[in-house]
Amino acid sequence: VKDSFRGYSQSDWQTVWYVKDEVSQDELKYMEAFYMGMISEFCDEDSCGYYVPDDVVWKGKKAICDYLGLKVDDTEIYDDQDKLIE
């Protein structure tokens, strides 16, 4: 199957080929977000590399924690300007 992605920050297009029976729509949506720069990276005290699609980030702390499998009450998230995200 052939599909195409469009980024919103650079207006780039990316054409991808994938096997329809092996790639879910959720996986395809994640690939689109990652490859087109529509994703935010989070770090903890030890390392970085926690990637969350922007449409999840825009929903706030609970959505981010749900996506990463973190407990909301045990997590503090700060943006790139060190402002606490609620």
Side-chain angles (χ1 to χ4, degrees), residues 33-63:
F34 188 84
Y35 288 110
M36 300 311 293
M38 300 182 302
I39 202 159
S40 296
E41 181 179 17
F42 290 86
C43 303
D44 62 16
E45 294 151 352
D46 300 320
S47 64
C48 291
Y50 300 98
Y51 298 103
V52 181
D54 287 343
D55 63 337
V56 174
V57 173
W58 296 332
K59 293 176 184 174
K61 178 181 174 181
K62 182 178 181 332

Side-chain angles (χ1 to χ4, degrees), residues 11 18 27 36-37 40-41 49 52 71 83:
S11 297
Y18 63 96
E27 291 171 318
M36 300 311 293
S40 296
E41 181 179 17
V52 181
K71 293 181 180 179
K83 181 180 174 189

